[in-house]
Amino acid sequence: MTKPLFLHPDRLFPADPTIRAIARTLYAEVKDLPIISPHGHTDPRWFAENENFANPTDLLIVPDHYVFRMLYSQGVGLEELGIASKDGTQVETNPRKIWRRLAEHYHLFRGTPSRMWLDWVFVEMFGLDVRLEPATADLYYDTIDAALATPAFKPRALFESNNIELLATTESPLDPLIHHRAIRESGWGGRVVTAYRPDPVVDPEHDGFAANLIRFGEMAGEDISTWEGYLNAHRNRRAFFRAAGATSTDHGHPSAATADLSHTDAEALYAKVLAGRASAAEAELFRAQMLTEMARMSIDDGMVLQIHPGVLRNHNPSLMARFGRDKGADIPTPTDYVRALKPLLDAHGSDPRLSIILFTLDETSYSRELAPLAGHYPSLRIGPPWWFNDSPEGMRRFREQVTETAGFYNTVGFNDDTRAFLSIPARHDVARRMDCVWLAQLVAEHRLEEDEAHEVARALAYDLVKAAYKL
Amino acid sequence: MTKPLFLHPDRLFPADPTIRAIARTLYAEVKDLPIISPHGHTDPRWFAENENFANPTDLLIVPDHYVFRMLYSQGVGLEELGIASKDGTQVETNPRKIWRRLAEHYHLFRGTPSRMWLDWVFVEMFGLDVRLEPATADLYYDTIDAALATPAFKPRALFESNNIELLATTESPLDPLIHHRAIRESGWGGRVVTAYRPDPVVDPEHDGFAANLIRFGEMAGEDISTWEGYLNAHRNRRAFFRAAGATSTDHGHPSAATADLSHTDAEALYAKVLAGRASAAEAELFRAQMLTEMARMSIDDGMVLQIHPGVLRNHNPSLMARFGRDKGADIPTPTDYVRALKPLLDAHGSDPRLSIILFTLDETSYSRELAPLAGHYPSLRIGPPWWFNDSPEGMRRFREQVTETAGFYNTVGFNDDTRAFLSIPARHDVARRMDCVWLAQLVAEHRLEEDEAHEVARALAYDLVKAAYKL
Amino acid sequence: MTKPLFLHPDRLFPADPTIRAIARTLYAEVKDLPIISPHGHTDPRWFAENENFANPTDLLIVPDHYVFRMLYSQGVGLEELGIASKDGTQVETNPRKIWRRLAEHYHLFRGTPSRMWLDWVFVEMFGLDVRLEPATADLYYDTIDAALATPAFKPRALFESNNIELLATTESPLDPLIHHRAIRESGWGGRVVTAYRPDPVVDPEHDGFAANLIRFGEMAGEDISTWEGYLNAHRNRRAFFRAAGATSTDHGHPSAATADLSHTDAEALYAKVLAGRASAAEAELFRAQMLTEMARMSIDDGMVLQIHPGVLRNHNPSLMARFGRDKGADIPTPTDYVRALKPLLDAHGSDPRLSIILFTLDETSYSRELAPLAGHYPSLRIGPPWWFNDSPEGMRRFREQVTETAGFYNTVGFNDDTRAFLSIPARHDVARRMDCVWLAQLVAEHRLEEDEAHEVARALAYDLVKAAYKL
C-alpha cells in the first residue's frame, strides 16, 4: 500500500500557534516574490539550447552530490548510480535501475534537506501524490520521464514558470561564454548572467594550472609572462564577463587567507608560480595575494567579491582517482577569518566602493568572527548558510548567531548555489519560510514589531539580494 | 517540611501541546524496548559473583565522577567523600556522613543530568517520594541501604528487572576476562560481553607501558620484541576477546590522529617505542599508526572500531598525585577529524568491511566535520553524544547539527558509557525521550511523516545499535 | 504617521503559554531586586561631580561602540557621528544633526540588543511613546535634551531611581582614584567602587608602557627596576584600590595564556620587558606570568580575578589612526582555556582562597572547556555572556551549553560591563528575563521543580553576584 505524499502548507513553521500564525502572515507576502538566484552552478547551455532534459536519473540523481554522497555512505557504489568513471570501471547505464536504487534507499534522507527538496519537486513539478519507495519507483520514473519530454519542462519554460527573475551561473575565465551570448542573442527575455570564478588561473595547485595560464593570456590578449600582464589579463576577462552580465566574482579557496605584498614581492612570487616552482605555502600565499588583487579590481570595476573558503576538497583519493572531482567527498575545515582577512581589510576594508560577501562552513565563526566583522567593516557582508548548512536548522543557527551583532542589513538574502535546477524554487521556499519563522519568533517575543518584520521579510527574500549583488 | 519527589511522565517533553502529544505517542512505543548497552564501564565481577552492593555511598557517590567533580568544584574535598587517596591522606570512612554531604549540596545539581539520573534511581529503584535534602538524608540512606541488601538488588536481578538485553564492558588486553568466563559458565542467561580497549599496550605514555608490553606478549604467546610479533599479539588477544563476546574495540586517544607508515618506518618507530625512547611526537605517531593497524585488523576480524578522542586527561596534577586517575579532572580539547583521520581513510575509508564509530567532546565538529565525513564514507558512523554531552541539551544539539547532513542512519543509537550501573535505565530513558522529542518536532513542523518517525524512533532506540555493533 | 512605541510586559518570554506563565511568575519575584553591577566601565567622575549630562548625542551615541559600529558598517563615517578624531579630520559638531543620523538608520538595529536597550531608555527614562524614525528625531532630541537638564537626571539621582545597590568601575593602577575618594567623602550613600585593571602596566605592548611603569613605581613608592619591586608596586596599588572598595581585578589579555616561571626566569623576563627588548612572544609570556602573579596576590588579599581574553583589538588600523582605540573594531578570536590556564591552575587551581571568573567571546568554549573546567576546579567560575553575546540569544546559548556540566552555582550572575550608564537597568532586565525563560523551560519540561526555580532565579539575579564578587 503506497503512502500519500503532499506538501503541508505550514511545513517548517513551528508548532506553537502564535508563532505559526505570524509566520503564515509574513510568508504569505513573500512566497510569490520573484526568485533572484545570484550565485549557483546551473549550466548556461540549458538556457541557450533549450533542449528537454534526458531522463529522471540524469536530471535528479547523477548531478546531485547531496544525493549520491548519502547513498555512498551507506554502501551504494557510485558505479551503481551511473556516475561516469575515469578509470574504466563499468557503470550502471540503465537509468530506471538507478532510479529504483534511490527508491530503495529513500529512507536514508529522512530529516535532510534533500528529502524536502526532492519531495517538493515530485509534488509541485510532477504532481506525484504517493511517496517514493520501491513500490512506486516505476510510477515515479514513468511520470517524470513523460513530463520531461513536454514543452513545459524545457529549461526556459521552467525558468519562467518558476518565477525566476535572474539566475547567475559561475564560469572560469577560460570559458568563452558562448552560451550566455547565445541566450542574449536569442531574444529570450530570461536574465541568465555569469560570475567570474578565476580559481583555475589563480590557484597554482589547480589541475592544469600551467596550461590554463597560457590559454588565459591568449584569450585576454595579454602577456601573462609578467605580473602586470597577468593582472591585466584578469582586468580584461573581468570586463568580458561584465559584458555578459556578471556583477560578481567568486573564490573557492582552501582558506580565507589574504595578503598584501609589495609590488616587488608579488612579482617575484608570481615568477615562481609561473615557473611551477611554488611550494604549498607559496601557492597559499599566491591565492592570498590574489584575493587582495581581486578586491582592488573590484574597487575599480564594481564587481562584488564572494569568498567561499574552508573546504578540504576531494578528501577521498581513491574515489577521486576513479570518479574525479565534486563527488561528495569535500569536507569542511576550521576556518579563520579574523586574522586571514586582515591584510586585505587593512588595505581596503573601509573603502565604500568595495563589497565582499563572506561564506562559511565553519559555523563557529558566525558569532565569533563573521558577525563582528560584518557589523563593523563597511565592505563586508555575510552570505547565507552554505552547502551543508543550506538547511532549516542551518538557517535557524545562522539567524540566531548573526542577527544580534550584525543585524539583518549586513546579510544578503539567499543563494541556492545549486546545479540542481529543478530544486531552485524549493530551496528559496525553505529560506523564505525559515526567515519568516525567525521573524515570527521575534515578533511573538516582542523583540520586533510586526510591521517591521514584514519589511525585513521582504528585504531578506528580495531587496537585499538585489542590492548586495548590484542587480 | 520535606518536598515531594516524583518523575513526571512527560518529563523532557516540550511544553507545546502539539509536539508533546506526538512525543508521547512515539515514546510509548519505544520506552519498553530492551536496553542494549554496547559500550560502558561497569564491572563484570558484579555479574560473575552476583554479590549485593555494599552501601548507598559506595554505589552512588564514590564511583561517580559526575557527582564528586561537582562537589569538588564547590569546595568539598575528595577526602571528605571517601575517595581512596594514594598519598596517605586520611579520608572519610563513614558512608552515612558522606551521604549527608551529598544531601547538603544536592542543589548544585539543579539542571544537570546527574540530578535527573539520581532522582530516577531514587524513585524507580528505591521508591523514595521525598526530595533529597539534609532533612531526608538519613531516610534516603536507610531506605537505599536496606534495599541493597535484598535479593532484588543483586546485580543479575537488576540486570533482568531493568530489561537489559546486552551489556558490554570494556577491558584491557591484559585482562584475563575471568569474570566474563565465569558469567558464561554460570548458566545465567544475561549477555555481558567485553570490548577490546588496548590503550595500555598502544599508548607509549600510558602508566606502566613497558611492563604492560611484556605481560601482553606473555598472555598472547607472541614475541613482542618485533613489530610483527606485537601486531600478532593484538590479533591473538582480539580473538580471545571475540570469544568472550566482544564485537568492538575502543580507543581513548588524546587526538583522532591516524597514520599509515610504511612497514619499515612502522617497524623503526615500534623499536623506539619498545626501547622507551619515543618522544612525545613519536608517541602520538605510534598511537596514530596503531589506529590504522586496528582498522586493518577490524577488516579481517569484523570488530567495530570506536574512537573516543580529544580529552586532556588528569588536568589537575595535585589531585592526580593525591587520588589518581579518573577523578573528574579530564577536560575536553578542540579536536580535528578531517585531517586527523585522512591517513586511515585514505587507506581503508571506502572498504565495506570496515566500521568505525566516531565520538567527540568538541561539538563544533558535529556539523563541520563529523556529519560531512559520516555522510560520505561508508566506513564511518557517528556515535551518540558523549560524557559531558550525554544530556538533554547535548542530545538536542547532536540531532540538530548532525541529522541534516548525515541523516539518522549514519548514527548508531545510544551508548550509556557508564560505570554507574543503576543509572543505565535512566540514561537510556533520557536518550529515548530526547530522540522522540526531536522526531516529534520534525513531525509537528511537517518535516517528517508520523509513520516514518515511528520507524526511526525504534531504530534509534534499538535497531541501529544492534546493527552498528553487530550484536 | 508615527508608530507607537511601548515595552510589552512579556517581552523576551516565549510564545508558548505554559512557559510564558511560569516565566512571568519567576520574573515577578526578581524584577525589582536591587541591581548589583560588579563590573563595568562607567565614569566615576559622574558620581563625584554629579553634573547633568550634556545632550542626547553625547550621552547615547558618541560613547556607545555598539551604536556607532553598526552605523559605520553601513557606510556612516565616524566623523559624521561626532566621534573626536586624532588626525585633524573635521567631525560633525551639531548634536542634533548626529541624532537625526541615528534616526535615519535606526532600522539597522532591528533584532539587536542595542535596539532593545535604547527603546527601554526611551520609554522608561524619557517617557517617549512613538518610535524613533526620521519624523520623530527632533521630538526625541528635544524630549531627551530637556529631561537631561533636570535634577532627576543627575547621575546620583539616576543611580538611586534605577535601584542600583552597587556599581563597580574599572581603573588603571595609574589612576589616583580621586573621584572614588570624592564620592566617599561627599556623604552620598551610593556605593561606587573601583576594580584593579593593570593592563597598562602588565602588557608590554600597551601604549606608553615604559612611561606607565615609571609612573607606577612613583605612585606605589616602589623601585620598579627590580622584579620584586615591580610586584610590590602591584601589592601596594592593589591595597590602595581595596581601600577604595575594590574587590576584584580585571585582565583584558589577547589570550588566556598563563605561565609559572621560576623566580630566576621571571626576573630575567622582567628585565627584558623593562628594557623594552621583549619580543612579541616574550610580551605574551610576561602577560601570562603576570596572571599567575595576580592569582598569587589574590590568594593573599582576597581580590577576585577576572579574565576577559580573546579579542584582537583595533583590527582596523586606518580607523585606529584616525579615531583611536575602542571604536568598534575589536574582533574576537578562537580562544583556548584548557591548555592556556594549566600553568596557573597547576600551581593554585585547587586553592580555596582563589576565585577566578572566566569570560569568553568564543562560545565554542562553553560546553567544551569552560563548563568542564568550572565544574571541576574550586577556584573557577564562569562569567556571564560578554560583549557581543550580552544578548537574548547569547544568554540562551550560555545557559543551554553551560548548565548541564557546571550547574548554576558555578556561574556568577550578570555583568553589564557597560559605559552606557542609562542602559544598565535595561541590560539587567534582559538578563533577568532570559534567566527566567531558561528556568521556566526547565520547569515546563519537568527538569526542575518550580520552588527550586524561584530560588535559582533569585540567585542568578542577586545572590550569586554578591557571593562571587565578595560584595
Side-chain angles (χ1 to χ4, degrees), chain C residues 44-45 48 169-185 192-197 215 219 236-246 303:
Chain C
R45 178 194 298 263
T169 64
T170 305
E171 272 77 36
S172 154
L174 306 180
D175 193 296
L177 305 182
I178 52 169
H179 302 305
H180 290 86
R181 191 176 63 201
I183 295 166
R184 281 199 311 282
E185 292 177 354
V192 177
V193 303
T194 184
Y196 188 71
R197 170 94 168 209
R215 179 95 188 98
M219 291 180 80
N236 177 301
R237 294 304 290 166
R238 290 169 66 108
F240 182 76
F241 271 61
R242 283 200 306 286
M303 292 177 91

Short mmCIF file of all heavy atoms in Angstrom, two decimals, chain C residues 44-45 48 169-185 192-197 215 219 236-246 303:
data_model
loop_
_atom_site.label_atom_id
_atom_site.label_comp_id
_atom_site.label_asym_id
_atom_site.label_seq_id
_atom_site.Cartn_x
_atom_site.Cartn_y
_atom_site.Cartn_z
N PRO C 44 33.55 57.33 37.03
CA PRO C 44 33.29 57.69 38.42
C PRO C 44 33.13 59.20 38.62
O PRO C 44 32.50 59.63 39.60
CB PRO C 44 34.52 57.16 39.16
CG PRO C 44 35.58 57.00 38.13
CD PRO C 44 34.86 56.68 36.86
N ARG C 45 33.66 59.97 37.67
CA ARG C 45 33.51 61.42 37.78
C ARG C 45 32.04 61.83 37.83
O ARG C 45 31.66 62.77 38.53
CB ARG C 45 34.19 62.09 36.57
CG ARG C 45 34.04 63.61 36.54
CD ARG C 45 34.42 64.17 35.16
NE ARG C 45 35.81 63.89 34.85
CZ ARG C 45 36.81 64.77 35.03
NH1 ARG C 45 36.57 65.96 35.53
NH2 ARG C 45 38.04 64.43 34.71
N ALA C 48 30.99 61.60 41.29
CA ALA C 48 31.74 62.51 42.14
C ALA C 48 31.23 63.94 41.95
O ALA C 48 31.00 64.65 42.93
CB ALA C 48 33.23 62.43 41.81
N THR C 169 33.34 50.45 38.92
CA THR C 169 34.00 50.99 37.73
C THR C 169 35.32 50.24 37.58
O THR C 169 35.62 49.32 38.35
CB THR C 169 34.27 52.49 37.90
OG1 THR C 169 35.19 52.66 39.00
CG2 THR C 169 32.98 53.24 38.19
N THR C 170 36.09 50.59 36.56
CA THR C 170 37.33 49.88 36.29
C THR C 170 38.42 50.91 36.07
O THR C 170 38.28 51.77 35.20
CB THR C 170 37.17 49.02 35.02
OG1 THR C 170 36.04 48.17 35.19
CG2 THR C 170 38.41 48.18 34.77
N GLU C 171 39.51 50.82 36.85
CA GLU C 171 40.57 51.81 36.70
C GLU C 171 41.94 51.17 36.57
O GLU C 171 42.18 50.07 37.05
CB GLU C 171 40.57 52.79 37.87
CG GLU C 171 39.65 54.00 37.66
CD GLU C 171 38.17 53.69 37.87
OE1 GLU C 171 37.84 52.88 38.76
OE2 GLU C 171 37.33 54.23 37.11
N SER C 172 42.80 51.93 35.92
CA SER C 172 44.21 51.57 35.80
C SER C 172 44.90 51.80 37.15
O SER C 172 44.50 52.67 37.92
CB SER C 172 44.82 52.47 34.73
OG SER C 172 46.21 52.62 34.94
N PRO C 173 45.96 51.03 37.42
CA PRO C 173 46.75 51.28 38.64
C PRO C 173 47.28 52.71 38.70
O PRO C 173 47.63 53.19 39.78
CB PRO C 173 47.91 50.28 38.52
CG PRO C 173 47.43 49.22 37.61
CD PRO C 173 46.48 49.88 36.65
N LEU C 174 47.34 53.37 37.54
CA LEU C 174 47.87 54.73 37.49
C LEU C 174 46.82 55.77 37.86
O LEU C 174 47.11 56.96 37.93
CB LEU C 174 48.42 55.02 36.08
CG LEU C 174 49.44 54.00 35.57
CD1 LEU C 174 49.92 54.36 34.18
CD2 LEU C 174 50.62 53.91 36.54
N ASP C 175 45.61 55.31 38.06
CA ASP C 175 44.54 56.24 38.39
C ASP C 175 44.63 56.60 39.87
O ASP C 175 44.70 55.70 40.72
CB ASP C 175 43.20 55.58 38.07
CG ASP C 175 42.06 56.58 38.07
OD1 ASP C 175 41.78 57.16 39.15
OD2 ASP C 175 41.46 56.79 37.01
N PRO C 176 44.59 57.88 40.20
CA PRO C 176 44.68 58.25 41.62
C PRO C 176 43.36 58.03 42.37
O PRO C 176 43.31 58.24 43.59
CB PRO C 176 45.03 59.74 41.56
CG PRO C 176 44.53 60.21 40.23
CD PRO C 176 44.62 59.03 39.29
N LEU C 177 42.33 57.64 41.66
CA LEU C 177 41.03 57.35 42.27
C LEU C 177 40.46 58.54 43.03
O LEU C 177 39.78 58.38 44.05
CB LEU C 177 41.12 56.12 43.20
CG LEU C 177 41.68 54.82 42.57
CD1 LEU C 177 41.68 53.69 43.61
CD2 LEU C 177 40.88 54.41 41.34
N ILE C 178 40.69 59.71 42.49
CA ILE C 178 40.19 60.90 43.20
C ILE C 178 38.67 60.97 43.18
O ILE C 178 38.05 61.46 44.12
CB ILE C 178 40.75 62.21 42.61
CG1 ILE C 178 40.52 62.24 41.08
CG2 ILE C 178 42.22 62.40 42.97
CD1 ILE C 178 40.82 63.61 40.46
N HIS C 179 38.07 60.46 42.11
CA HIS C 179 36.60 60.53 42.07
C HIS C 179 36.00 59.59 43.10
O HIS C 179 35.01 59.91 43.73
CB HIS C 179 36.11 60.19 40.67
CG HIS C 179 36.67 61.11 39.63
ND1 HIS C 179 36.54 62.47 39.70
CD2 HIS C 179 37.39 60.87 38.51
CE1 HIS C 179 37.15 63.04 38.67
NE2 HIS C 179 37.68 62.07 37.92
N HIS C 180 36.60 58.42 43.23
CA HIS C 180 36.08 57.49 44.24
C HIS C 180 36.22 58.09 45.64
O HIS C 180 35.35 57.93 46.48
CB HIS C 180 36.80 56.14 44.14
CG HIS C 180 36.43 55.38 42.90
ND1 HIS C 180 37.07 55.58 41.69
CD2 HIS C 180 35.49 54.45 42.66
CE1 HIS C 180 36.53 54.78 40.77
NE2 HIS C 180 35.58 54.09 41.33
N ARG C 181 37.34 58.80 45.85
CA ARG C 181 37.50 59.42 47.17
C ARG C 181 36.46 60.51 47.35
O ARG C 181 35.82 60.62 48.41
CB ARG C 181 38.91 60.00 47.32
CG ARG C 181 39.19 60.39 48.76
CD ARG C 181 40.61 60.89 48.95
NE ARG C 181 40.81 62.11 48.15
CZ ARG C 181 42.00 62.57 47.77
NH1 ARG C 181 43.10 61.92 48.10
NH2 ARG C 181 42.10 63.68 47.06
N ALA C 182 36.28 61.30 46.31
CA ALA C 182 35.29 62.37 46.40
C ALA C 182 33.90 61.81 46.70
O ALA C 182 33.14 62.37 47.49
CB ALA C 182 35.27 63.16 45.09
N ILE C 183 33.57 60.70 46.06
CA ILE C 183 32.26 60.08 46.30
C ILE C 183 32.14 59.69 47.78
O ILE C 183 31.15 60.01 48.44
CB ILE C 183 32.05 58.85 45.39
CG1 ILE C 183 32.00 59.28 43.92
CG2 ILE C 183 30.79 58.09 45.78
CD1 ILE C 183 32.13 58.13 42.92
N ARG C 184 33.18 59.01 48.26
CA ARG C 184 33.14 58.56 49.66
C ARG C 184 33.02 59.74 50.62
O ARG C 184 32.28 59.70 51.59
CB ARG C 184 34.42 57.78 50.01
CG ARG C 184 34.43 56.35 49.54
CD ARG C 184 35.47 55.51 50.27
NE ARG C 184 36.79 56.13 50.34
CZ ARG C 184 37.67 56.14 49.33
NH1 ARG C 184 37.38 55.57 48.18
NH2 ARG C 184 38.84 56.72 49.47
N GLU C 185 33.76 60.80 50.30
CA GLU C 185 33.81 61.93 51.22
C GLU C 185 32.59 62.84 51.10
O GLU C 185 32.38 63.71 51.93
CB GLU C 185 35.09 62.73 50.97
CG GLU C 185 36.33 61.94 51.37
CD GLU C 185 37.64 62.67 51.08
OE1 GLU C 185 37.60 63.75 50.46
OE2 GLU C 185 38.70 62.11 51.47
N VAL C 192 29.83 53.20 44.98
CA VAL C 192 30.54 53.14 43.69
C VAL C 192 31.97 52.72 44.02
O VAL C 192 32.70 53.48 44.65
CB VAL C 192 30.52 54.49 42.97
CG1 VAL C 192 31.33 54.42 41.67
CG2 VAL C 192 29.09 54.94 42.69
N VAL C 193 32.32 51.52 43.61
CA VAL C 193 33.66 51.00 43.93
C VAL C 193 34.49 50.87 42.66
O VAL C 193 33.95 50.98 41.55
CB VAL C 193 33.58 49.63 44.66
CG1 VAL C 193 32.74 49.76 45.93
CG2 VAL C 193 33.02 48.56 43.74
N THR C 194 35.76 50.67 42.83
CA THR C 194 36.62 50.54 41.66
C THR C 194 37.02 49.07 41.46
O THR C 194 36.63 48.19 42.26
CB THR C 194 37.88 51.42 41.80
OG1 THR C 194 38.66 51.32 40.60
CG2 THR C 194 38.73 50.96 42.98
N ALA C 195 37.72 48.78 40.39
CA ALA C 195 38.34 47.47 40.17
C ALA C 195 39.72 47.71 39.57
O ALA C 195 39.94 48.69 38.86
CB ALA C 195 37.50 46.61 39.22
N TYR C 196 40.63 46.82 39.87
CA TYR C 196 42.05 46.98 39.51
C TYR C 196 42.31 46.37 38.14
O TYR C 196 42.28 45.15 37.99
CB TYR C 196 42.87 46.28 40.59
CG TYR C 196 44.37 46.50 40.51
CD1 TYR C 196 44.94 47.73 40.81
CD2 TYR C 196 45.23 45.44 40.18
CE1 TYR C 196 46.32 47.91 40.78
CE2 TYR C 196 46.61 45.61 40.15
CZ TYR C 196 47.14 46.87 40.45
OH TYR C 196 48.50 47.04 40.43
N ARG C 197 42.54 47.20 37.15
CA ARG C 197 42.77 46.71 35.78
C ARG C 197 44.19 47.08 35.36
O ARG C 197 44.42 48.18 34.81
CB ARG C 197 41.76 47.36 34.85
CG ARG C 197 42.01 47.14 33.37
CD ARG C 197 41.25 45.96 32.81
NE ARG C 197 41.28 45.94 31.37
CZ ARG C 197 40.32 45.42 30.59
NH1 ARG C 197 39.26 44.86 31.13
NH2 ARG C 197 40.43 45.45 29.29
N ARG C 215 55.74 55.81 36.18
CA ARG C 215 54.68 56.44 36.98
C ARG C 215 54.15 55.46 38.04
O ARG C 215 53.87 55.84 39.18
CB ARG C 215 53.57 56.87 36.02
CG ARG C 215 52.37 57.51 36.65
CD ARG C 215 52.47 59.04 36.65
NE ARG C 215 51.36 59.61 37.44
CZ ARG C 215 51.47 60.01 38.71
NH1 ARG C 215 52.64 59.97 39.32
NH2 ARG C 215 50.41 60.50 39.34
N MET C 219 53.93 56.16 41.97
CA MET C 219 52.67 56.18 42.72
C MET C 219 52.69 55.18 43.86
O MET C 219 52.10 55.40 44.91
CB MET C 219 51.50 55.88 41.79
CG MET C 219 51.25 57.02 40.80
SD MET C 219 49.86 56.68 39.70
CE MET C 219 48.46 57.10 40.77
N ASN C 236 51.07 47.15 46.52
CA ASN C 236 50.75 48.46 47.08
C ASN C 236 49.49 49.06 46.43
O ASN C 236 48.58 49.51 47.11
CB ASN C 236 51.98 49.36 46.84
CG ASN C 236 51.75 50.76 47.32
OD1 ASN C 236 50.83 51.43 46.86
ND2 ASN C 236 52.58 51.21 48.27
N ARG C 237 49.47 49.06 45.11
CA ARG C 237 48.32 49.67 44.43
C ARG C 237 47.05 48.85 44.65
O ARG C 237 45.96 49.42 44.72
CB ARG C 237 48.60 49.82 42.93
CG ARG C 237 49.70 50.80 42.58
CD ARG C 237 49.50 52.18 43.14
NE ARG C 237 48.41 52.91 42.49
CZ ARG C 237 47.86 54.03 42.99
NH1 ARG C 237 48.28 54.54 44.15
NH2 ARG C 237 46.89 54.64 42.34
N ARG C 238 47.19 47.54 44.70
CA ARG C 238 46.00 46.71 45.00
C ARG C 238 45.42 47.10 46.35
O ARG C 238 44.19 47.21 46.51
CB ARG C 238 46.36 45.22 44.98
CG ARG C 238 46.67 44.68 43.57
CD ARG C 238 47.28 43.27 43.63
NE ARG C 238 46.34 42.30 44.13
CZ ARG C 238 45.75 41.35 43.39
NH1 ARG C 238 46.03 41.25 42.10
NH2 ARG C 238 44.90 40.51 43.94
N ALA C 239 46.31 47.32 47.33
CA ALA C 239 45.83 47.72 48.65
C ALA C 239 45.12 49.07 48.57
O ALA C 239 44.06 49.28 49.19
CB ALA C 239 47.01 47.78 49.64
N PHE C 240 45.71 49.98 47.78
CA PHE C 240 45.09 51.29 47.60
C PHE C 240 43.70 51.15 46.96
O PHE C 240 42.74 51.82 47.36
CB PHE C 240 46.02 52.15 46.72
CG PHE C 240 45.54 53.54 46.50
CD1 PHE C 240 45.64 54.50 47.50
CD2 PHE C 240 44.98 53.91 45.27
CE1 PHE C 240 45.18 55.81 47.28
CE2 PHE C 240 44.53 55.21 45.06
CZ PHE C 240 44.63 56.16 46.06
N PHE C 241 43.61 50.27 45.97
CA PHE C 241 42.32 50.05 45.32
C PHE C 241 41.31 49.40 46.28
O PHE C 241 40.14 49.74 46.28
CB PHE C 241 42.49 49.18 44.06
CG PHE C 241 42.77 49.99 42.82
CD1 PHE C 241 43.91 50.80 42.73
CD2 PHE C 241 41.91 49.96 41.73
CE1 PHE C 241 44.17 51.56 41.59
CE2 PHE C 241 42.15 50.70 40.59
CZ PHE C 241 43.28 51.51 40.51
N ARG C 242 41.81 48.46 47.08
CA ARG C 242 40.89 47.83 48.04
C ARG C 242 40.31 48.85 49.00
O ARG C 242 39.14 48.80 49.35
CB ARG C 242 41.60 46.71 48.81
CG ARG C 242 41.78 45.44 48.01
CD ARG C 242 42.02 44.22 48.90
NE ARG C 242 43.13 44.43 49.82
CZ ARG C 242 44.41 44.43 49.46
NH1 ARG C 242 44.75 44.25 48.19
NH2 ARG C 242 45.34 44.62 50.36
N ALA C 243 41.16 49.80 49.36
CA ALA C 243 40.67 50.86 50.26
C ALA C 243 39.59 51.71 49.59
O ALA C 243 38.76 52.32 50.27
CB ALA C 243 41.85 51.73 50.71
N ALA C 244 39.59 51.72 48.25
CA ALA C 244 38.54 52.42 47.52
C ALA C 244 37.41 51.45 47.14
O ALA C 244 36.66 51.70 46.19
CB ALA C 244 39.12 53.08 46.27
N GLY C 245 37.34 50.37 47.86
CA GLY C 245 36.19 49.48 47.70
C GLY C 245 36.38 48.33 46.72
O GLY C 245 35.50 47.48 46.57
N ALA C 246 37.53 48.29 46.05
CA ALA C 246 37.71 47.25 45.04
C ALA C 246 37.71 45.86 45.69
O ALA C 246 38.36 45.65 46.71
CB ALA C 246 39.02 47.46 44.29
N MET C 303 41.25 39.41 46.54
CA MET C 303 40.55 40.01 45.39
C MET C 303 40.22 38.94 44.34
O MET C 303 41.03 38.06 44.05
CB MET C 303 41.41 41.11 44.77
CG MET C 303 41.55 42.31 45.70
SD MET C 303 42.64 43.59 44.99
CE MET C 303 41.44 44.61 44.13
#
